[in-house]
Amino acid sequence: MGCIFCGIISGDIPSQKIYETETVLAFKDIDPKAPFHAVIIPKAHIKSAMEITGENSPVIAEIFEAAAKIATDENLAGGFRLVNNCGADGGQTVDHFHIHMLAGRVLAWPPG
Ligand code: 5GP
Ligand code: ZN
């Protein structure tokens, strides 16, 4: 079975892209959990946070850099939350590493 997020990167699956570099892509989540909900992904297919290594970790830093730029572009002055769900217990449903960027309301802590 193909990877949904690799399909979004290639353009085979349509998405609302909000930020893109050579190595990183951000797009609106199809099922938003907050007034603003984007997903930021590496263009390289990294399955989960369990697969981050010394070799592929520079792109993870670029994802955080992307989040700061998106926060400015989207006027998220009230703040935001970055979330990574990893594995079954972590609630990961798409096996391509991603960071959720949530904003636009006060977010509960701790999460469920
Ligand atoms: P996870 O549950 O793995 O942490 O997050 C996967 C996220 O991808 C979910 O929030 C889900 O709504 C989103 N998602 C799944 N399929 C698609 C899709 O085809 N397009 C977009 N834009 N988001 C998707
Ligand atoms: Zn993928």
Side-chain angles (χ1 to χ4, degrees):
M1 208 175 72
C3 169
I4 294 171
F5 288 174
C6 283
I8 286 176
I9 292 162
S10 69
D12 291 340
I13 297 172
S15 70
Q16 202 183 327
K17 294 178 183 174
I18 59 167
Y19 182 85
E20 184 166 15
T21 69
E22 257 180 47
T23 52
V24 164
L25 177 67
F27 53 90
K28 291 286 185 75
D29 196 290
I30 203 167
D31 179 19
K33 314 298 188 295
F36 178 88
H37 186 176
V39 179
I40 314 174
I41 63 173
K43 288 187 176 175
H45 182 89
I46 298 168
K47 257 173 81 176
S48 79
M50 283 299 289
E51 299 216 337
I52 296 169
T53 66
E55 269 177 24
N56 66 21
S57 62
V59 74
I60 308 302
E62 288 171 40
I63 286 173
F64 280 80
E65 189 185 340
K69 288 181 175 155
I70 292 165
T72 302
D73 292 350
E74 303 281 340
N75 281 315
L76 305 180
F80 55 86
R81 181 170 294 166
L82 301 177
V83 177
N84 170 252
N85 297 329
C86 180
D89 285 0
Q92 184 173 7
T93 60
V94 176
D95 287 337
H96 181 129
F97 178 87
H98 52 281
I99 295 282
H100 296 267
M101 184 170 190
L102 302 151
R105 66 173 169 83
V106 176
L107 298 155
W109 188 262

